Every structure is written in structure tokens, then in C-alpha cells.
Amino acid sequence: MIDSNFLYENIKQISEKLLNKGYKLDSEKFIKLYESRKSIIGKVENLKSDQNKFTKKIAVEKRKPNQEELESIKKLIEKIKDIETERKVFEDELNSLLLDIPNIYDEKVPIGKTSDENIEIKRVGKIPVFDFVPKDHTEIGKDLNLFDLDTASNITGTRFNIYTGLGAKLERALINFMLDEHSKKGYKEIFPPFICNEKSFIGTGNLPKFKEDLFKIEGTNYFLIPTAEVPLTNIFSDKVINEVELPIKLVAYSACFRSEAGSYGKDVKGLIRQHQFNKVELVKFSKPDESNNDHNELTADACDILDKLGLPYRVVLLCSGDTSFSSSITYDLEVWLPSENQYREISSCSNFKDFQSRRSNIKFKGSGKALFPHTLNGSGLAIGRTLVAILENYQQKDGSVKIPAVLFPYMNHLRHIKKNN
């Protein structure tokens, strides 16, 4: 959430930035609500000041108020109550407007509308050259009995999957490998709930704006999480962190659930875009003056997983129009998929600055006043897409798939997945 005072004082500049992010701010409405609330707060404070003066006067004179004074103070209290009710109406409406406003993008973010205007930062690894016609991951999975989309569709519906045999083992191996690697770098492992309440989703920016993208549990205010970012961030909701604890680094595996509203007919083949998938998530809480460095480190930690797996990838800086609602700046990691002859997103590493911490009321305090920390997160990595990238990049002419060396210990030292394994 953007600080309302900062928005009011810089309304023109921020409105222009929001337009570059695809959002048109109703400046007139915001100013009216902000000034009305400020006026009402002033009235309440003046009336409460009068009430305090009267109370002190009676205390100093060491007497009970007379009937006329009692009637007067009663009317004053009722007036304060009425104005407080009016104040809440304006505050609720202002808060509702603020919750709808996306984060302001960082100065380093390029101006643009679509992913075509993202900036490539670097490319890593060699794109494989095959002396045979490579298969896509759905063909490989079917040939090697690694997953079964048809049975999952019969059990649940489209965009669900069942991993079987070595497919299930490879999925689990990737989860454990990523958790182990990130733990070595000081991330504290968390195993969070996969269901969170509405307040938690508001805190991370998923609600109220993106309700259609979530799976809601009917008859409750609970939703299935789209990423472990939601429970991890809200561990510190309504809390004050001791400054010496920062930065806090958390890592978690979770199943993720997304309705993918509006994406039907797009990326429906195979494991690329599922309603349920597995992911290892990285979350950081940082001091404001250190969050840029922490963001670079978090991105490097996600890249390190791809490096160790030997997968070719690139890093891109998202333009303003492609940067998500809550993010101030995002680096996407895109892995190479031979079947598509292109790079595909496998991780988004974002710095939200104080946007989420304001919404979640997360603060930190040292010797001075309590401040809002910056929150950061990134996939470290999306498991299903990592598995897809391994199957496609490590496929062999005989139909087998080589296993990256770092996964040998997690696969009982199996080096190839073959048809008869």
C-alpha cells in the first residue's frame, strides 16, 4: 500500500508513474477523501481537547461537575461519537481506494507496456544442439511413464497432473535439492499452511484486486495459496521485528493453487500452466537501505539453482507495464525450452519495498521509531517447470533423459531415466 501522505504530496508524479504501470488513478476522488478525512480528524482532536480541558479543570478544582456541565459534556461526547462514525466512513472508503492502487515502480525499471519491452540483463549456459528431432516434455513424460495428465483430468479436471514412478521421484528430488541448497545459504526452512485467511491475502496484495485468480473455500474466508509468499510474509503480520534480526531469510516448499482466470486456451499443453503445482519460495525482510542488495542476492540465489542444474537461462528486468501489482522491481529468470525454441519464465524475483509491510502492518524497530521493512520474494524455483526444462534439455537420442549430477544423491544415484527403469 502506498503511504497516503506521500501520495497526496506527490500526486502528479505518482499518477504519471501509475499510468506507466497501466493504472489510472482517480486523483480527484483521492484528494477529496484525503482532505475530508484530515478535516474530520482535526474536528475530533479539537473536541477531544475540549473534553480533556474540562476533565482537568474538574480535577484541579476537586469537585463534581454540576448538572449544566454534565449536560454539556454529554453533548460533547455524543458529538465526538458522531464525528468518529463519519470519520470511519471516510477512512474505509480511502483505505478501499488505496488497496486498489498498485505499487510504484523503481527508478531502474524501464518504461514499457508489454513483455516485449523488458530488458535482458544476461544469458547463462549453452543452448543444446541435438542431432535428432527433440521431443517436448509431454512426449518424453508419456514415453518414460513419468506423469499422467489424462488420469489426473479424469480424477479432477484439466490442468492437473499425477506424477508417477521416477517422475514423482524427480519432482521430490528437485524439492529437496532446492530446500537444501537455500538452507546452506542461511534461509530458514518453513513448512507453511497451504490455506490462508482473507486478511493475509490482502497483506500481500492478492486481495481484493485478484480474487478471481484464487481458489476460495466455499462458506469460509479461506483461500488456497497461489504461492508460499502469502503465509511466509504474514508470519510477521501485526508484529514488530527487532532491527538486529534483519535481514530475515525464509525458504519454503508448498503446493500452489491458481485459477488461471483469463488464461484459457493459452499454455494449456503439459505442465507449463497448471491449476496445482509445486514451488520452492524465497522470502526476505530487509532494512530499506539494504533491500536493493538483498534483492540482487535473492536473485543470485535463484540463479544458482539453475547454474547447478546446468540449465541454460536468461535474466530479464521487467518493464513498468509488466511489473506485477505489488512489486516495485522484478527480475524474471527464464529457462530455455527446446520444444518451444524460446525462454520461459521459471522464477520472478521481486522487491516490494514497503508496499506489503504497510498492508500487513509489519514493522521493525531499533533505537529509533518503528519503521516498515522492505519485503522481497522469488521462486527458488518453480518445480514443475524445472522438471520440464530437465526433460527437454537433457533428453538423449535413445529416448532416455540424463539426470543432472547434483541430483544423483536424491535419485539413488540413478544417472539416466530410461523406458525400462
Side-chain angles (χ1 to χ4, degrees):
M1 180 185 292
I2 300 174
D3 175 52
S4 60
N5 296 322
F6 180 74
L7 178 56
Y8 182 77
E9 292 165 5
N10 301 275
I11 189 71
K12 185 179 179 181
Q13 301 94 310
I14 294 176
S15 293
E16 290 174 357
K17 276 199 162 190
L18 291 173
L19 275 175
N20 289 328
K21 209 170 179 182
Y23 181 87
K24 182 172 175 54
L25 176 66
D26 189 339
S27 301
E28 189 176 321
K29 181 179 180 181
F30 168 75
I31 291 170
K32 182 179 179 181
L33 288 170
Y34 180 91
E35 292 180 346
S36 296
R37 183 193 64 167
K38 187 175 182 179
S39 173
I40 289 172
I41 289 172
K43 290 177 183 178
V44 169
E45 288 176 349
N46 288 336
L47 290 172
K48 285 184 175 180
S49 176
D50 292 342
Q51 183 183 2
N52 290 334
K53 287 177 183 177
F54 174 78
T55 302
K56 286 180 182 179
K57 179 175 181 291
I58 294 298
V60 168
E61 294 176 357
K62 296 180 181 180
R63 65 178 179 83
K64 292 182 179 181
N66 57 42
Q67 190 62 36
E68 184 180 344
E69 288 171 328
L70 284 173
E71 288 295 324
S72 178
I73 199 64
K74 184 179 178 182
K75 288 179 180 178
L76 180 62
I77 291 170
E78 287 176 353
K79 192 172 183 179
I80 291 172
K81 187 178 179 181
D82 289 341
I83 295 177
E84 286 282 21
T85 300
E86 186 181 358
R87 171 185 174 177
K88 188 177 185 310
V89 170
F90 279 103
E91 284 190 339
D92 287 348
E93 196 170 347
L94 179 61
N95 190 58
S96 179
L97 176 60
L98 290 170
L99 287 175
D100 189 61
I101 301 172
N103 198 0
I104 308 164
Y105 57 85
D106 187 270
E107 294 298 330
K108 294 191 291 290
V109 173
I111 307 302
K113 293 183 178 180
T114 70
S115 59
D116 293 334
E117 295 162 280
N118 295 340
I119 295 177
E120 183 177 298
I121 304 299
K122 65 176 180 177
R123 292 192 182 196
V124 180
K126 292 182 179 180
I127 292 173
V129 177
F130 301 100
D131 60 356
F132 59 93
V133 179
K135 302 173 184 176
D136 71 22
H137 71 279
T138 57
E139 294 176 271
I140 298 168
K142 187 175 182 179
D143 289 345
L144 300 178
N145 298 313
L146 302 179
F147 50 86
D148 189 341
L149 294 161
D150 292 336
T151 299
S153 180
N154 186 51
I155 294 169
T156 309
T158 57
R159 300 203 186 194
F160 288 90
N161 176 50
I162 291 176
Y163 287 105
T164 60
L166 289 178
K169 193 170 188 66
L170 180 56
E171 181 89 353
R172 179 162 54 91
L174 285 167
I175 293 169
N176 289 333
F177 164 67
M178 292 179 194
L179 289 173
D180 288 346
E181 289 300 309
H182 293 308
S183 294
K184 290 175 189 175
K185 294 183 177 179
Y187 288 86
K188 182 179 181 180
E189 186 174 341
I190 305 291
F191 190 61
F194 297 172
I195 296 172
C196 290
N197 59 31
E198 187 175 29
K199 178 176 176 289
S200 295
F201 280 86
I202 290 172
T204 50
N206 300 87
L207 287 177
K209 198 172 184 69
F210 303 102
K211 190 173 183 178
E212 65 174 10
D213 295 327
L214 305 173
F215 283 110
K216 190 175 192 299
I217 299 175
E218 189 175 359
T220 73
N221 75 331
Y222 298 144
F223 296 80
L224 301 180
I225 62 170
T227 166
E229 168 197 351
V230 180
L232 291 183
T233 303
N234 281 282
I235 286 174
F236 296 98
S237 176
D238 297 318
K239 293 180 181 178
V240 179
I241 302 167
N242 190 323
E243 185 176 8
V244 299
E245 296 178 48
L246 297 175
I248 293 171
K249 301 164 64 175
L250 306 176
V251 61
Y253 152 76
S254 78
C256 303
F257 305 88
R258 298 184 184 179
S259 72
E260 297 292 355
S263 69
Y264 290 93
K266 187 172 82 171
D267 299 332
V268 295
K269 188 177 181 181
L271 305 178
I272 296 297
R273 196 177 293 275
Q274 296 271 294
H275 288 308
Q276 177 185 325
F277 59 95
N278 296 313
K279 187 149 70 81
V280 169
E281 188 79 0
L282 306 174
V283 167
K284 279 188 177 184
F285 299 83
S286 300
K287 296 177 186 177
D289 60 347
E290 296 176 0
S291 72
N292 284 334
N293 286 336
D294 285 337
H295 183 211
N296 291 333
E297 287 180 6
L298 182 145
T299 304
D301 291 338
C303 287
D304 191 49
I305 298 297
L306 290 167
D307 292 332
K308 285 184 165 65
L309 290 170
L311 293 169
Y313 68 94
R314 69 174 187 166
V315 179
V316 297
L317 173 60
L318 301 193
C319 71
S320 57
D322 205 29
T323 302
S324 72
F325 176 83
S326 297
S327 176
S328 176
I329 179 171
T330 297
Y331 293 107
D332 266 10
L333 279 56
E334 298 178 350
V335 70
W336 179 259
L337 295 186
S339 68
E340 299 185 11
N341 198 39
Q342 67 173 332
Y343 291 97
R344 294 298 299 266
E345 180 200 333
I346 197 167
S347 172
S348 286
C349 299
S350 301
N351 185 350
F352 303 98
K353 301 199 175 174
D354 61 359
F355 188 80
Q356 291 182 328
S357 57
R358 285 182 183 278
R359 293 170 77 107
S360 299
N361 190 32
I362 302 168
K363 294 183 179 180
F364 76 96
K365 193 175 188 304
S367 56
K369 68 176 184 177
L371 301 171
F372 294 103
H374 286 187
T375 62
L376 308 88
N377 76 28
S379 303
L381 305 161
I383 307 300
R385 292 193 177 191
T386 306
L387 186 143
V388 167
I390 289 172
L391 295 184
E392 294 200 4
N393 285 280
Y394 281 95
Q395 62 181 300
Q396 304 298 301
K397 193 171 186 176
D398 64 0
S400 67
V401 174
K402 286 178 67 176
I403 296 172
V406 290
L407 297 180
F408 289 171
Y410 299 91
M411 296 289 291
N412 293 335
H413 296 281
L414 187 69
R415 295 176 179 240
H416 288 80
I417 298 176
K418 300 177 181 179
K419 199 162 191 175
N420 297 321
N421 282 144

PDB file of all heavy atoms in Angstrom, residues 309-329:
ATOM      1  N   LEU A 309      22.088 -26.985 -11.836  1.00  0.00           N
ATOM      2  CA  LEU A 309      21.382 -27.976 -12.663  1.00  0.00           C
ATOM      3  C   LEU A 309      21.882 -27.970 -14.111  1.00  0.00           C
ATOM      4  O   LEU A 309      21.504 -28.838 -14.904  1.00  0.00           O
ATOM      5  CB  LEU A 309      19.868 -27.709 -12.635  1.00  0.00           C
ATOM      6  CG  LEU A 309      19.164 -27.989 -11.309  1.00  0.00           C
ATOM      7  CD1 LEU A 309      17.729 -27.451 -11.350  1.00  0.00           C
ATOM      8  CD2 LEU A 309      19.163 -29.486 -10.984  1.00  0.00           C
ATOM      9  N   GLY A 310      22.703 -26.986 -14.444  1.00  0.00           N
ATOM     10  CA  GLY A 310      23.250 -26.905 -15.790  1.00  0.00           C
ATOM     11  C   GLY A 310      22.229 -26.561 -16.854  1.00  0.00           C
ATOM     12  O   GLY A 310      22.360 -26.980 -18.013  1.00  0.00           O
ATOM     13  N   LEU A 311      21.232 -25.765 -16.489  1.00  0.00           N
ATOM     14  CA  LEU A 311      20.176 -25.391 -17.437  1.00  0.00           C
ATOM     15  C   LEU A 311      20.455 -24.008 -18.026  1.00  0.00           C
ATOM     16  O   LEU A 311      20.769 -23.067 -17.280  1.00  0.00           O
ATOM     17  CB  LEU A 311      18.807 -25.399 -16.740  1.00  0.00           C
ATOM     18  CG  LEU A 311      18.305 -26.774 -16.291  1.00  0.00           C
ATOM     19  CD1 LEU A 311      17.082 -26.620 -15.391  1.00  0.00           C
ATOM     20  CD2 LEU A 311      17.972 -27.652 -17.497  1.00  0.00           C
ATOM     21  N   PRO A 312      20.328 -23.839 -19.338  1.00  0.00           N
ATOM     22  CA  PRO A 312      20.519 -22.521 -19.940  1.00  0.00           C
ATOM     23  C   PRO A 312      19.351 -21.597 -19.600  1.00  0.00           C
ATOM     24  O   PRO A 312      18.187 -22.007 -19.642  1.00  0.00           O
ATOM     25  CB  PRO A 312      20.574 -22.815 -21.438  1.00  0.00           C
ATOM     26  CG  PRO A 312      19.873 -24.119 -21.617  1.00  0.00           C
ATOM     27  CD  PRO A 312      20.053 -24.895 -20.343  1.00  0.00           C
ATOM     28  N   TYR A 313      19.675 -20.361 -19.272  1.00  0.00           N
ATOM     29  CA  TYR A 313      18.622 -19.420 -18.883  1.00  0.00           C
ATOM     30  C   TYR A 313      19.077 -17.997 -19.142  1.00  0.00           C
ATOM     31  O   TYR A 313      20.235 -17.733 -19.469  1.00  0.00           O
ATOM     32  CB  TYR A 313      18.266 -19.589 -17.404  1.00  0.00           C
ATOM     33  CG  TYR A 313      19.359 -19.180 -16.440  1.00  0.00           C
ATOM     34  CD1 TYR A 313      19.396 -17.906 -15.886  1.00  0.00           C
ATOM     35  CD2 TYR A 313      20.377 -20.066 -16.077  1.00  0.00           C
ATOM     36  CE1 TYR A 313      20.398 -17.528 -15.000  1.00  0.00           C
ATOM     37  CE2 TYR A 313      21.384 -19.709 -15.201  1.00  0.00           C
ATOM     38  CZ  TYR A 313      21.389 -18.427 -14.657  1.00  0.00           C
ATOM     39  OH  TYR A 313      22.389 -18.059 -13.795  1.00  0.00           O
ATOM     40  N   ARG A 314      18.143 -17.079 -18.996  1.00  0.00           N
ATOM     41  CA  ARG A 314      18.469 -15.663 -19.068  1.00  0.00           C
ATOM     42  C   ARG A 314      17.755 -14.927 -17.943  1.00  0.00           C
ATOM     43  O   ARG A 314      16.756 -15.415 -17.389  1.00  0.00           O
ATOM     44  CB  ARG A 314      18.111 -15.072 -20.430  1.00  0.00           C
ATOM     45  CG  ARG A 314      16.624 -14.967 -20.710  1.00  0.00           C
ATOM     46  CD  ARG A 314      16.368 -14.235 -22.016  1.00  0.00           C
ATOM     47  NE  ARG A 314      14.939 -13.979 -22.221  1.00  0.00           N
ATOM     48  CZ  ARG A 314      14.450 -13.147 -23.129  1.00  0.00           C
ATOM     49  NH1 ARG A 314      15.278 -12.496 -23.927  1.00  0.00           N
ATOM     50  NH2 ARG A 314      13.154 -12.970 -23.253  1.00  0.00           N
ATOM     51  N   VAL A 315      18.258 -13.727 -17.619  1.00  0.00           N
ATOM     52  CA  VAL A 315      17.650 -12.863 -16.608  1.00  0.00           C
ATOM     53  C   VAL A 315      17.170 -11.609 -17.306  1.00  0.00           C
ATOM     54  O   VAL A 315      17.923 -10.993 -18.066  1.00  0.00           O
ATOM     55  CB  VAL A 315      18.653 -12.500 -15.498  1.00  0.00           C
ATOM     56  CG1 VAL A 315      18.007 -11.566 -14.466  1.00  0.00           C
ATOM     57  CG2 VAL A 315      19.192 -13.755 -14.824  1.00  0.00           C
ATOM     58  N   VAL A 316      15.914 -11.234 -17.063  1.00  0.00           N
ATOM     59  CA  VAL A 316      15.370 -10.013 -17.675  1.00  0.00           C
ATOM     60  C   VAL A 316      14.797  -9.093 -16.602  1.00  0.00           C
ATOM     61  O   VAL A 316      14.252  -9.558 -15.597  1.00  0.00           O
ATOM     62  CB  VAL A 316      14.274 -10.325 -18.730  1.00  0.00           C
ATOM     63  CG1 VAL A 316      14.851 -11.120 -19.884  1.00  0.00           C
ATOM     64  CG2 VAL A 316      13.109 -11.072 -18.107  1.00  0.00           C
ATOM     65  N   LEU A 317      14.963  -7.808 -16.811  1.00  0.00           N
ATOM     66  CA  LEU A 317      14.371  -6.782 -15.951  1.00  0.00           C
ATOM     67  C   LEU A 317      13.032  -6.394 -16.561  1.00  0.00           C
ATOM     68  O   LEU A 317      12.977  -5.966 -17.712  1.00  0.00           O
ATOM     69  CB  LEU A 317      15.292  -5.571 -15.857  1.00  0.00           C
ATOM     70  CG  LEU A 317      14.751  -4.327 -15.133  1.00  0.00           C
ATOM     71  CD1 LEU A 317      14.387  -4.637 -13.691  1.00  0.00           C
ATOM     72  CD2 LEU A 317      15.779  -3.193 -15.212  1.00  0.00           C
ATOM     73  N   LEU A 318      11.958  -6.563 -15.786  1.00  0.00           N
ATOM     74  CA  LEU A 318      10.626  -6.286 -16.318  1.00  0.00           C
ATOM     75  C   LEU A 318      10.384  -4.786 -16.457  1.00  0.00           C
ATOM     76  O   LEU A 318      10.773  -3.991 -15.603  1.00  0.00           O
ATOM     77  CB  LEU A 318       9.553  -6.891 -15.413  1.00  0.00           C
ATOM     78  CG  LEU A 318       9.603  -8.404 -15.177  1.00  0.00           C
ATOM     79  CD1 LEU A 318       8.295  -8.862 -14.528  1.00  0.00           C
ATOM     80  CD2 LEU A 318       9.845  -9.169 -16.469  1.00  0.00           C
ATOM     81  N   CYS A 319       9.698  -4.414 -17.538  1.00  0.00           N
ATOM     82  CA  CYS A 319       9.322  -3.015 -17.747  1.00  0.00           C
ATOM     83  C   CYS A 319       8.146  -2.658 -16.835  1.00  0.00           C
ATOM     84  O   CYS A 319       7.544  -3.527 -16.199  1.00  0.00           O
ATOM     85  CB  CYS A 319       8.976  -2.763 -19.211  1.00  0.00           C
ATOM     86  SG  CYS A 319       7.417  -3.507 -19.760  1.00  0.00           S
ATOM     87  N   SER A 320       7.806  -1.385 -16.788  1.00  0.00           N
ATOM     88  CA  SER A 320       6.768  -0.899 -15.871  1.00  0.00           C
ATOM     89  C   SER A 320       5.431  -1.598 -16.077  1.00  0.00           C
ATOM     90  O   SER A 320       4.766  -2.001 -15.122  1.00  0.00           O
ATOM     91  CB  SER A 320       6.593   0.612 -16.030  1.00  0.00           C
ATOM     92  OG  SER A 320       6.267   0.953 -17.374  1.00  0.00           O
ATOM     93  N   GLY A 321       5.027  -1.783 -17.334  1.00  0.00           N
ATOM     94  CA  GLY A 321       3.732  -2.385 -17.618  1.00  0.00           C
ATOM     95  C   GLY A 321       3.670  -3.870 -17.342  1.00  0.00           C
ATOM     96  O   GLY A 321       2.582  -4.435 -17.215  1.00  0.00           O
ATOM     97  N   ASP A 322       4.837  -4.524 -17.245  1.00  0.00           N
ATOM     98  CA  ASP A 322       4.892  -5.967 -16.998  1.00  0.00           C
ATOM     99  C   ASP A 322       5.208  -6.291 -15.544  1.00  0.00           C
ATOM    100  O   ASP A 322       5.185  -7.453 -15.138  1.00  0.00           O
ATOM    101  CB  ASP A 322       5.952  -6.597 -17.917  1.00  0.00           C
ATOM    102  CG  ASP A 322       5.692  -8.079 -18.183  1.00  0.00           C
ATOM    103  OD1 ASP A 322       4.515  -8.491 -18.160  1.00  0.00           O
ATOM    104  OD2 ASP A 322       6.667  -8.825 -18.407  1.00  0.00           O
ATOM    105  N   THR A 323       5.516  -5.259 -14.760  1.00  0.00           N
ATOM    106  CA  THR A 323       5.805  -5.450 -13.338  1.00  0.00           C
ATOM    107  C   THR A 323       4.500  -5.647 -12.586  1.00  0.00           C
ATOM    108  O   THR A 323       3.532  -4.918 -12.803  1.00  0.00           O
ATOM    109  CB  THR A 323       6.572  -4.226 -12.780  1.00  0.00           C
ATOM    110  OG1 THR A 323       7.775  -4.055 -13.525  1.00  0.00           O
ATOM    111  CG2 THR A 323       6.916  -4.413 -11.313  1.00  0.00           C
ATOM    112  N   SER A 324       4.477  -6.626 -11.698  1.00  0.00           N
ATOM    113  CA  SER A 324       3.230  -7.009 -11.033  1.00  0.00           C
ATOM    114  C   SER A 324       2.675  -5.906 -10.135  1.00  0.00           C
ATOM    115  O   SER A 324       3.373  -4.953  -9.781  1.00  0.00           O
ATOM    116  CB  SER A 324       3.427  -8.284 -10.210  1.00  0.00           C
ATOM    117  OG  SER A 324       4.201  -8.010  -9.048  1.00  0.00           O
ATOM    118  N   PHE A 325       1.440  -6.070  -9.741  1.00  0.00           N
ATOM    119  CA  PHE A 325       0.703  -5.117  -8.913  1.00  0.00           C
ATOM    120  C   PHE A 325       1.492  -4.698  -7.673  1.00  0.00           C
ATOM    121  O   PHE A 325       1.628  -3.510  -7.377  1.00  0.00           O
ATOM    122  CB  PHE A 325      -0.632  -5.743  -8.495  1.00  0.00           C
ATOM    123  CG  PHE A 325      -1.458  -4.913  -7.554  1.00  0.00           C
ATOM    124  CD1 PHE A 325      -2.271  -3.908  -8.027  1.00  0.00           C
ATOM    125  CD2 PHE A 325      -1.435  -5.156  -6.188  1.00  0.00           C
ATOM    126  CE1 PHE A 325      -3.045  -3.131  -7.161  1.00  0.00           C
ATOM    127  CE2 PHE A 325      -2.205  -4.397  -5.312  1.00  0.00           C
ATOM    128  CZ  PHE A 325      -3.004  -3.384  -5.801  1.00  0.00           C
ATOM    129  N   SER A 326       2.027  -5.675  -6.933  1.00  0.00           N
ATOM    130  CA  SER A 326       2.664  -5.380  -5.644  1.00  0.00           C
ATOM    131  C   SER A 326       4.133  -5.034  -5.756  1.00  0.00           C
ATOM    132  O   SER A 326       4.721  -4.467  -4.832  1.00  0.00           O
ATOM    133  CB  SER A 326       2.515  -6.573  -4.693  1.00  0.00           C
ATOM    134  OG  SER A 326       1.157  -6.830  -4.405  1.00  0.00           O
ATOM    135  N   SER A 327       4.754  -5.383  -6.871  1.00  0.00           N
ATOM    136  CA  SER A 327       6.206  -5.243  -6.990  1.00  0.00           C
ATOM    137  C   SER A 327       6.638  -3.840  -7.374  1.00  0.00           C
ATOM    138  O   SER A 327       5.966  -3.136  -8.122  1.00  0.00           O
ATOM    139  CB  SER A 327       6.735  -6.241  -8.022  1.00  0.00           C
ATOM    140  OG  SER A 327       8.121  -6.064  -8.228  1.00  0.00           O
ATOM    141  N   SER A 328       7.832  -3.464  -6.878  1.00  0.00           N
ATOM    142  CA  SER A 328       8.456  -2.213  -7.280  1.00  0.00           C
ATOM    143  C   SER A 328       9.467  -2.467  -8.389  1.00  0.00           C
ATOM    144  O   SER A 328       9.622  -1.646  -9.291  1.00  0.00           O
ATOM    145  CB  SER A 328       9.154  -1.560  -6.080  1.00  0.00           C
ATOM    146  OG  SER A 328       9.841  -0.390  -6.474  1.00  0.00           O
ATOM    147  N   ILE A 329      10.134  -3.627  -8.317  1.00  0.00           N
ATOM    148  CA  ILE A 329      11.093  -4.003  -9.358  1.00  0.00           C
ATOM    149  C   ILE A 329      11.219  -5.523  -9.372  1.00  0.00           C
ATOM    150  O   ILE A 329      11.287  -6.155  -8.321  1.00  0.00           O
ATOM    151  CB  ILE A 329      12.470  -3.327  -9.122  1.00  0.00           C
ATOM    152  CG1 ILE A 329      13.467  -3.741 -10.210  1.00  0.00           C
ATOM    153  CG2 ILE A 329      13.007  -3.611  -7.727  1.00  0.00           C
ATOM    154  CD1 ILE A 329      14.774  -2.949 -10.184  1.00  0.00           C
TER     155      ILE A 329
END
